[in-house]
Amino acid sequence: MSFTGVMRPGHVCIRVLEMGPALTHYVERLGLQKVGQDDQGRVYLKAWDEHDRFSIVLREADAPGMDFMGFKVCSTADLDRLELAVRDYGCDVERIPAGELVGCGHRVRFTIPSGHSVELYAEKDYVGNGLGLTNPDPWPEGLKGMQVNRFDHGLLYGPNIPDVVDFFVNALGFNLTEKVLSPDQKIIGAFLSCSNKAHDIAFIDYPEPGKFHHASFLLNSWEELLRAADIMGMYEIPIDIGPTRHGITRGRTIYFFDPSGNRNEVFCGDYTWYADRDPITWHAEELGKAIFYHDRKLNENFLTVVT
Amino acid sequence: MNESRAYRITIADSDEDFLCKDGQNVLRAMERLGRKGIPVGCRGGGCGICRVQVLDNGRYRTLKMSRAQISIQDEASGMCLACKLIPQGDLRIQPLGLLRKKLNN
C-alpha cells in the first residue's frame, strides 16, 4: 500500500571487496538467489518472496559501502510527478536510462542532504516468486541458509538529518514514524515510511556524509531469527549484536557483517504504521533503550562502525 | 601454512600478548583467546576500527582492505587492519583505531 506514489524500497547497490566471498555470504548464507551479472561485473540478486527481477546489486570495489538505494514508485506518471517534485525542491536530478541496471526501467537519481544517492524508478522486469499467482503454495522448497523473504529497509548515516526528513516528507510524501531528539531538540535519528511498515528507510546523524549502516532483510518469526543466528554460528559469520529487540520500530533483530564489513540485519515483527498517527519520540538520553531494548545500552559499534 | 606454528603478537604500550596461529588473522586470534587491546569492528576490512601500525619491520601479509581506511601510502608504512593481518613472524603492533583517520581529516 502506498500513500505517496512511492511504493517500497526496490533495490540497494552494495560495494564489496571480493565478489567470491560476498556471493557465498549473500547466496549460500542469507539465501538470496543469483539472477544475473552485467558487463560491468555487477551481480544481481533477489530474495525468494520478491516478484521483481532483483533487489540487491553487488559491485566489487576498493572500499565497501553503498552506491545507491532505489525506491519503486507505483506508475510512470508517479515517477514523472515525483521527478518534478524533487527538481522543484531544489535537488539536482540525473536521469539514468532504462537498462543501465539490467531489467530496470529508467531511474531518477538525486543526492539527499546526508550525501547518499537515492533513486526512483517505476518499472522492473516481473519474474514472480516461483509459486505462481493461482492457488499458490506458501513457500518454495530448496531455499538456502537463512531464507530471507525480502530486502526490507536501509539505515544510513550522515549529516543534516532535519533536512533529510524535510526532503522525504515534503518532496517524496513519506511519513516520519519515529524520531530521536537531542537534548537541544534537534532530530538526530529519523525513521521514515512510504507504506504501512514502521520504516522503509532510516537515518542517524553522523559527521561523515554518505555512510552505510545496514541493509535489512525480512524474516517471518522470532524462531526464524534464532535459526538465522544458528547459521551465523555454524559459519562463523561475525555478529554485531542480537538476537534482541529494538525499542524503535519494535523489530526483533540480529546485526551481523558481510565479508567486506558491510552490516546486514535480519529482522521481523515491526508494527503496522498508519498515516493518521503522530510520530513516536525518543530522547537521546534513552537511545540505548531505543536501539537495544533489553540491554538498554548502545554497543559502541552501533555508533561508530559503518562502511 | 603450518597449523602447529604460532606467532607471538605483542601490543605496544601494554602488557598484552597472545599467540596467533599460522594463517590466522591477528584480530581473530585475540578474540578467540578472550584477549583485549585492539578495538573490534566489522571484522571484514571495511570499517577501520581495528587499524594498527606494525612496528620493528615485522614480517606479515595482508588480505584486501578498504582503500577508504588504508591508503597505498598507509599500507607501505606498515599500517593495516588487524582483521586482515596475517603474521609471518612474531609481531609488535600499535593499535590506532579511528585516531589516525581523525587526525588526517
Side-chain angles (χ1 to χ4, degrees):
Chain A
M1 185 187 303
S2 168
F3 304 115
T4 67
V6 182
M7 192 159 40
R8 62 164 178 268
H11 56 239
V12 60
C13 181
I14 299 172
R15 295 189 300 273
V16 298
L17 292 174
E18 293 174 291
M19 191 58 78
L23 285 177
T24 300
H25 177 82
Y26 286 100
V27 175
E28 305 298 327
R29 307 298 172 242
L30 269 72
L32 300 178
Q33 298 160 351
K34 182 176 170 182
V35 293
Q37 187 161 359
D38 66 20
D39 52 13
Q40 297 178 39
R42 294 180 297 188
V43 176
Y44 297 60
L45 309 171
K46 80 181 276 290
W48 76 265
D49 205 15
E50 292 168 328
H51 293 253
D52 283 353
R53 182 169 182 271
F54 66 87
S55 61
I56 303 294
V57 181
L58 301 178
R59 180 171 77 84
E60 193 171 280
D62 278 344
M66 184 189 87
D67 279 344
F68 54 84
M69 180 169 164
F71 288 87
K72 191 175 191 187
V73 305
C74 295
S75 67
T76 49
D78 282 320
L79 186 58
D80 292 344
R81 178 177 59 78
L82 288 160
E83 178 179 356
L84 202 61
V86 171
R87 284 185 198 279
D88 284 350
Y89 192 87
C91 290
D92 290 332
V93 171
E94 182 190 357
R95 265 185 162 228
I96 300 168
E100 197 277 337
L101 283 173
V102 179
C104 187
H106 89 263
R107 291 130 66 204
V108 169
R109 182 185 289 180
F110 37 88
T111 303
I112 60 174
S114 55
H116 299 91
S117 285
V118 171
E119 52 187 44
L120 307 175
Y121 66 94
E123 293 174 328
K124 196 180 275 182
D125 288 353
Y126 180 89
V127 296
N129 66 358
L131 299 170
L133 297 175
T134 307
N135 309 322
D137 295 315
W139 44 268
E141 288 191 301
L143 299 176
K144 291 178 175 172
M146 302 176 207
Q147 310 181 356
V148 298
N149 290 15
R150 68 166 184 238
F151 166 51
D152 189 87
H153 64 269
L155 171 57
L156 309 178
Y157 272 35
N160 306 315
I161 303 306
D163 298 337
V164 171
V165 173
D166 190 70
F167 173 77
F168 271 90
V169 170
N170 293 313
L172 299 182
F174 280 52
N175 288 130
L176 181 67
T177 61
E178 306 205 23
K179 60 182 190 275
V180 181
L181 294 183
S182 66
D184 58 353
Q185 304 297 303
K186 276 205 197 105
I187 296 187
I188 54 169
F191 295 74
L192 293 148
S193 178
C194 61
S195 67
N196 254 155
K197 291 154 58 190
H199 58 341
D200 288 300
I201 191 168
F203 294 90
I204 288 192
D205 187 49
Y206 192 73
E208 218 178 320
K211 301 306 279 186
F212 180 49
H213 189 273
H214 72 259
S216 183
F217 298 90
L218 185 73
L219 291 176
N220 293 307
S221 68
W222 178 245
E223 193 64 27
E224 287 189 4
L225 211 69
L226 194 74
R227 186 177 165 280
D230 291 342
I231 289 167
M232 294 174 208
M234 284 177 208
Y235 294 100
E236 301 199 10
I237 296 169
I239 291 182
D240 186 17
I241 196 158
T244 185
R245 183 194 284 277
H246 291 309
I248 296 174
T249 77
R250 295 187 211 152
R252 280 140 263 199
T253 177
I254 308 168
Y255 284 149
F256 57 104
F257 294 103
D258 81 3
S260 306
N262 295 302
R263 193 186 276 93
N264 297 159
E265 177 183 48
V266 283
F267 156 92
C268 70
D270 60 349
Y271 56 81
T272 303
W273 165 261
Y274 290 102
D276 60 352
R277 294 228 186 117
D278 284 331
I280 290 169
T281 299
W282 297 86
H283 294 135
E285 52 269 35
E286 292 291 339
L287 193 58
K289 188 171 162 181
I291 306 292
F292 302 123
Y293 188 73
H294 299 157
D295 285 354
R296 297 173 300 279
K297 63 184 179 201
L298 288 177
N299 67 350
E300 166 104 12
N301 284 356
F302 180 84
L303 294 176
T304 56
V305 175
V306 289
T307 55
Chain B
M1 199 186 300
N2 180 344
E3 283 288 333
S4 62
R5 187 185 294 171
Y7 304 109
R8 182 157 302 278
I9 311 299
T10 309
I11 310 277
D13 304 327
S14 82
D15 296 331
E16 285 287 349
D17 63 26
F18 53 86
L19 288 175
C20 182
K21 281 187 200 164
D22 194 38
Q24 195 172 46
N25 76 64
V26 165
L27 195 73
R28 175 85 150 271
M30 181 192 81
E31 284 200 283
R32 284 222 157 152
L33 295 167
R35 305 303 286 272
K36 293 200 166 63
I38 309 167
V40 180
C42 72
R43 305 178 183 89
C47 76
I49 296 280
C50 68
R51 181 180 284 106
V52 297
Q53 176 74 46
V54 178
L55 305 171
D56 311 330
N57 295 310
R59 288 182 57 239
Y60 63 93
R61 64 189 172 94
T62 53
L63 307 177
K64 191 170 178 185
M65 302 173 281
S66 171
R67 276 282 173 246
Q69 300 299 338
I70 299 287
S71 67
I72 292 171
Q73 213 174 358
D74 289 340
E75 203 169 328
S77 73
M79 193 182 295
C80 58
L81 303 179
C83 65
K84 297 288 183 180
L85 167 60
I86 316 290
Q88 294 177 316
D90 293 349
L91 292 183
R92 201 163 69 87
I93 57 176
Q94 175 75 60
L96 301 171
L98 291 173
L99 181 67
R100 143 114 201 187
K101 209 173 168 213
K102 278 180 187 149
L103 291 176
N104 273 355
N105 292 341

